[in-house]
Amino acid sequence: MPHIDPTWQLAAVTAGVLLLLGVVLRLVGWTRSAAAATEATLVASLYTAWQLIGTITHRNVEGATANALTVWHVQRALHLPSELAMQQAMTPHPWLVHVANAYYVYGHFNPVIVMLAWVFIWHRAAYPRVRLLLCLLTATAFVVHFIPVAPPRLMPELGFHDVALEYGQSVYGSFGEGIPGQLLAMPSLHVGWAVLLAYVVIRLGRSRWRWLIVLHPIAMSVDVAVTANHWWADGLVSAGLLALCIAAETAVRALLPVQVEVAEIEVRAPVAA
């Protein structure tokens, strides 16, 4: 699997083109297409910011390694499960490694895109708030990303392996040759987005089966650990940031002098599917 390697400059140009396309579509009256272009512009802009931050932190390898060792020792002191032991239990089973690598790749963006489409189509009034929470979580994560932390897979001295690279399934490529955002392990947006997805589905969904969605953030938390893409702490920090974003958005909205047309995500009583 070739790694994804669009530069921040290319991502920025893409965002600009999408923005211009959205303006043109709106002028000709194609409002739905214009709305889709606007959403795509937002995604491209966030990716541009992530890549740009990566080019800055990419130079601080020693600092990222030192910070990763600190995380490792703190986790050991807290007796958290060992990512290394979990990876070593997985690696004798190649099929399991393939599944874990694939879940890391396809379980990140794709479920969030499906969730956004579901909210946009079936819960349109709640869409602005869901999108805002996604942007707030991503933006706050970007701020923390300015403190570089190496992922476990870049710590072979501790015994970790980059199993995705070894199996030809890496989206990052070799360090120094692949994309520059490889020292942005803390916090984990893989875990953060998975928790946000579960939060939205549980709060908006009506079926009793919606509670099964909690398996996604649980599975993703385990997956990023066994593939050595993240420390446990990366996911915990991301979940904490999401909680802060939800609390801050709720507090600010409550203080607004004029009621804004953004629907509250209400808790609904379970209804049989």
Side-chain angles (χ1 to χ4, degrees), residues 215-227:
L215 295 176
H216 177 49
I218 292 173
M220 184 58 74
S221 298
V222 173
D223 188 82
V224 299
V226 298
T227 56

mmCIF file with all atom_site columns, all heavy atoms in Angstrom, residues 215-227:
data_model
loop_
_atom_site.group_PDB
_atom_site.id
_atom_site.type_symbol
_atom_site.label_atom_id
_atom_site.label_alt_id
_atom_site.label_comp_id
_atom_site.label_asym_id
_atom_site.label_entity_id
_atom_site.label_seq_id
_atom_site.pdbx_PDB_ins_code
_atom_site.Cartn_x
_atom_site.Cartn_y
_atom_site.Cartn_z
_atom_site.occupancy
_atom_site.B_iso_or_equiv
_atom_site.pdbx_formal_charge
_atom_site.auth_seq_id
_atom_site.auth_comp_id
_atom_site.auth_asym_id
_atom_site.auth_atom_id
_atom_site.pdbx_PDB_model_num
ATOM 1  N N   . LEU A 1 215 ? -18.228 -0.045 20.568 1.00 0.00 ? 215 LEU A N   1
ATOM 2  C CA  . LEU A 1 215 ? -17.182 -1.000 20.215 1.00 0.00 ? 215 LEU A CA  1
ATOM 3  C C   . LEU A 1 215 ? -16.140 -0.358 19.302 1.00 0.00 ? 215 LEU A C   1
ATOM 4  O O   . LEU A 1 215 ? -14.982 -0.798 19.290 1.00 0.00 ? 215 LEU A O   1
ATOM 5  C CB  . LEU A 1 215 ? -17.795 -2.226 19.523 1.00 0.00 ? 215 LEU A CB  1
ATOM 6  C CG  . LEU A 1 215 ? -18.730 -3.087 20.384 1.00 0.00 ? 215 LEU A CG  1
ATOM 7  C CD1 . LEU A 1 215 ? -19.346 -4.200 19.536 1.00 0.00 ? 215 LEU A CD1 1
ATOM 8  C CD2 . LEU A 1 215 ? -17.972 -3.658 21.577 1.00 0.00 ? 215 LEU A CD2 1
ATOM 9  N N   . HIS A 1 216 ? -16.549 0.656  18.542 1.00 0.00 ? 216 HIS A N   1
ATOM 10 C CA  . HIS A 1 216 ? -15.605 1.299  17.618 1.00 0.00 ? 216 HIS A CA  1
ATOM 11 C C   . HIS A 1 216 ? -14.474 2.021  18.356 1.00 0.00 ? 216 HIS A C   1
ATOM 12 O O   . HIS A 1 216 ? -13.297 1.747  18.078 1.00 0.00 ? 216 HIS A O   1
ATOM 13 C CB  . HIS A 1 216 ? -16.343 2.242  16.681 1.00 0.00 ? 216 HIS A CB  1
ATOM 14 C CG  . HIS A 1 216 ? -15.458 2.997  15.752 1.00 0.00 ? 216 HIS A CG  1
ATOM 15 N ND1 . HIS A 1 216 ? -14.476 2.395  14.984 1.00 0.00 ? 216 HIS A ND1 1
ATOM 16 C CD2 . HIS A 1 216 ? -15.390 4.333  15.453 1.00 0.00 ? 216 HIS A CD2 1
ATOM 17 C CE1 . HIS A 1 216 ? -13.846 3.310  14.268 1.00 0.00 ? 216 HIS A CE1 1
ATOM 18 N NE2 . HIS A 1 216 ? -14.374 4.488  14.546 1.00 0.00 ? 216 HIS A NE2 1
ATOM 19 N N   . PRO A 1 217 ? -14.741 2.933  19.289 1.00 0.00 ? 217 PRO A N   1
ATOM 20 C CA  . PRO A 1 217 ? -13.626 3.557  20.002 1.00 0.00 ? 217 PRO A CA  1
ATOM 21 C C   . PRO A 1 217 ? -12.813 2.577  20.842 1.00 0.00 ? 217 PRO A C   1
ATOM 22 O O   . PRO A 1 217 ? -11.589 2.750  20.992 1.00 0.00 ? 217 PRO A O   1
ATOM 23 C CB  . PRO A 1 217 ? -14.308 4.615  20.886 1.00 0.00 ? 217 PRO A CB  1
ATOM 24 C CG  . PRO A 1 217 ? -15.735 4.239  20.937 1.00 0.00 ? 217 PRO A CG  1
ATOM 25 C CD  . PRO A 1 217 ? -16.031 3.540  19.666 1.00 0.00 ? 217 PRO A CD  1
ATOM 26 N N   . ILE A 1 218 ? -13.481 1.535  21.361 1.00 0.00 ? 218 ILE A N   1
ATOM 27 C CA  . ILE A 1 218 ? -12.728 0.522  22.116 1.00 0.00 ? 218 ILE A CA  1
ATOM 28 C C   . ILE A 1 218 ? -11.771 -0.213 21.189 1.00 0.00 ? 218 ILE A C   1
ATOM 29 O O   . ILE A 1 218 ? -10.579 -0.382 21.494 1.00 0.00 ? 218 ILE A O   1
ATOM 30 C CB  . ILE A 1 218 ? -13.693 -0.468 22.795 1.00 0.00 ? 218 ILE A CB  1
ATOM 31 C CG1 . ILE A 1 218 ? -14.487 0.236  23.894 1.00 0.00 ? 218 ILE A CG1 1
ATOM 32 C CG2 . ILE A 1 218 ? -12.927 -1.651 23.372 1.00 0.00 ? 218 ILE A CG2 1
ATOM 33 C CD1 . ILE A 1 218 ? -15.577 -0.620 24.510 1.00 0.00 ? 218 ILE A CD1 1
ATOM 34 N N   . ALA A 1 219 ? -12.294 -0.646 20.041 1.00 0.00 ? 219 ALA A N   1
ATOM 35 C CA  . ALA A 1 219 ? -11.462 -1.368 19.076 1.00 0.00 ? 219 ALA A CA  1
ATOM 36 C C   . ALA A 1 219 ? -10.340 -0.487 18.548 1.00 0.00 ? 219 ALA A C   1
ATOM 37 O O   . ALA A 1 219 ? -9.197  -0.944 18.380 1.00 0.00 ? 219 ALA A O   1
ATOM 38 C CB  . ALA A 1 219 ? -12.324 -1.881 17.917 1.00 0.00 ? 219 ALA A CB  1
ATOM 39 N N   . MET A 1 220 ? -10.640 0.797  18.293 1.00 0.00 ? 220 MET A N   1
ATOM 40 C CA  . MET A 1 220 ? -9.613  1.698  17.772 1.00 0.00 ? 220 MET A CA  1
ATOM 41 C C   . MET A 1 220 ? -8.522  1.942  18.815 1.00 0.00 ? 220 MET A C   1
ATOM 42 O O   . MET A 1 220 ? -7.328  2.015  18.476 1.00 0.00 ? 220 MET A O   1
ATOM 43 C CB  . MET A 1 220 ? -10.239 3.017  17.333 1.00 0.00 ? 220 MET A CB  1
ATOM 44 C CG  . MET A 1 220 ? -9.256  3.995  16.677 1.00 0.00 ? 220 MET A CG  1
ATOM 45 S SD  . MET A 1 220 ? -8.437  3.308  15.201 1.00 0.00 ? 220 MET A SD  1
ATOM 46 C CE  . MET A 1 220 ? -9.802  3.369  14.024 1.00 0.00 ? 220 MET A CE  1
ATOM 47 N N   . SER A 1 221 ? -8.902  2.067  20.084 1.00 0.00 ? 221 SER A N   1
ATOM 48 C CA  . SER A 1 221 ? -7.913  2.269  21.141 1.00 0.00 ? 221 SER A CA  1
ATOM 49 C C   . SER A 1 221 ? -6.958  1.089  21.227 1.00 0.00 ? 221 SER A C   1
ATOM 50 O O   . SER A 1 221 ? -5.745  1.263  21.382 1.00 0.00 ? 221 SER A O   1
ATOM 51 C CB  . SER A 1 221 ? -8.624  2.468  22.494 1.00 0.00 ? 221 SER A CB  1
ATOM 52 O OG  . SER A 1 221 ? -9.436  3.616  22.479 1.00 0.00 ? 221 SER A OG  1
ATOM 53 N N   . VAL A 1 222 ? -7.504  -0.115 21.112 1.00 0.00 ? 222 VAL A N   1
ATOM 54 C CA  . VAL A 1 222 ? -6.658  -1.308 21.128 1.00 0.00 ? 222 VAL A CA  1
ATOM 55 C C   . VAL A 1 222 ? -5.817  -1.381 19.861 1.00 0.00 ? 222 VAL A C   1
ATOM 56 O O   . VAL A 1 222 ? -4.623  -1.713 19.893 1.00 0.00 ? 222 VAL A O   1
ATOM 57 C CB  . VAL A 1 222 ? -7.522  -2.581 21.273 1.00 0.00 ? 222 VAL A CB  1
ATOM 58 C CG1 . VAL A 1 222 ? -6.673  -3.836 21.126 1.00 0.00 ? 222 VAL A CG1 1
ATOM 59 C CG2 . VAL A 1 222 ? -8.241  -2.580 22.622 1.00 0.00 ? 222 VAL A CG2 1
ATOM 60 N N   . ASP A 1 223 ? -6.431  -1.032 18.736 1.00 0.00 ? 223 ASP A N   1
ATOM 61 C CA  . ASP A 1 223 ? -5.748  -1.132 17.448 1.00 0.00 ? 223 ASP A CA  1
ATOM 62 C C   . ASP A 1 223 ? -4.531  -0.217 17.365 1.00 0.00 ? 223 ASP A C   1
ATOM 63 O O   . ASP A 1 223 ? -3.466  -0.634 16.906 1.00 0.00 ? 223 ASP A O   1
ATOM 64 C CB  . ASP A 1 223 ? -6.728  -0.797 16.321 1.00 0.00 ? 223 ASP A CB  1
ATOM 65 C CG  . ASP A 1 223 ? -6.139  -1.058 14.954 1.00 0.00 ? 223 ASP A CG  1
ATOM 66 O OD1 . ASP A 1 223 ? -6.162  -2.219 14.514 1.00 0.00 ? 223 ASP A OD1 1
ATOM 67 O OD2 . ASP A 1 223 ? -5.642  -0.105 14.324 1.00 0.00 ? 223 ASP A OD2 1
ATOM 68 N N   . VAL A 1 224 ? -4.680  1.037  17.794 1.00 0.00 ? 224 VAL A N   1
ATOM 69 C CA  . VAL A 1 224 ? -3.544  1.964  17.701 1.00 0.00 ? 224 VAL A CA  1
ATOM 70 C C   . VAL A 1 224 ? -2.417  1.541  18.625 1.00 0.00 ? 224 VAL A C   1
ATOM 71 O O   . VAL A 1 224 ? -1.247  1.879  18.396 1.00 0.00 ? 224 VAL A O   1
ATOM 72 C CB  . VAL A 1 224 ? -3.969  3.422  18.009 1.00 0.00 ? 224 VAL A CB  1
ATOM 73 C CG1 . VAL A 1 224 ? -5.007  3.893  17.008 1.00 0.00 ? 224 VAL A CG1 1
ATOM 74 C CG2 . VAL A 1 224 ? -4.474  3.584  19.443 1.00 0.00 ? 224 VAL A CG2 1
ATOM 75 N N   . ALA A 1 225 ? -2.768  0.779  19.687 1.00 0.00 ? 225 ALA A N   1
ATOM 76 C CA  . ALA A 1 225 ? -1.741  0.292  20.608 1.00 0.00 ? 225 ALA A CA  1
ATOM 77 C C   . ALA A 1 225 ? -0.984  -0.893 20.016 1.00 0.00 ? 225 ALA A C   1
ATOM 78 O O   . ALA A 1 225 ? 0.260   -0.906 20.011 1.00 0.00 ? 225 ALA A O   1
ATOM 79 C CB  . ALA A 1 225 ? -2.364  -0.093 21.949 1.00 0.00 ? 225 ALA A CB  1
ATOM 80 N N   . VAL A 1 226 ? -1.701  -1.875 19.494 1.00 0.00 ? 226 VAL A N   1
ATOM 81 C CA  . VAL A 1 226 ? -1.032  -3.077 18.996 1.00 0.00 ? 226 VAL A CA  1
ATOM 82 C C   . VAL A 1 226 ? -0.248  -2.811 17.718 1.00 0.00 ? 226 VAL A C   1
ATOM 83 O O   . VAL A 1 226 ? 0.736   -3.495 17.423 1.00 0.00 ? 226 VAL A O   1
ATOM 84 C CB  . VAL A 1 226 ? -2.037  -4.233 18.763 1.00 0.00 ? 226 VAL A CB  1
ATOM 85 C CG1 . VAL A 1 226 ? -2.693  -4.628 20.069 1.00 0.00 ? 226 VAL A CG1 1
ATOM 86 C CG2 . VAL A 1 226 ? -3.064  -3.866 17.706 1.00 0.00 ? 226 VAL A CG2 1
ATOM 87 N N   . THR A 1 227 ? -0.680  -1.815 16.934 1.00 0.00 ? 227 THR A N   1
ATOM 88 C CA  . THR A 1 227 ? 0.075   -1.460 15.730 1.00 0.00 ? 227 THR A CA  1
ATOM 89 C C   . THR A 1 227 ? 1.209   -0.493 16.050 1.00 0.00 ? 227 THR A C   1
ATOM 90 O O   . THR A 1 227 ? 1.972   -0.125 15.153 1.00 0.00 ? 227 THR A O   1
ATOM 91 C CB  . THR A 1 227 ? -0.845  -0.814 14.675 1.00 0.00 ? 227 THR A CB  1
ATOM 92 O OG1 . THR A 1 227 ? -1.509  0.324  15.248 1.00 0.00 ? 227 THR A OG1 1
ATOM 93 C CG2 . THR A 1 227 ? -1.876  -1.811 14.161 1.00 0.00 ? 227 THR A CG2 1
#
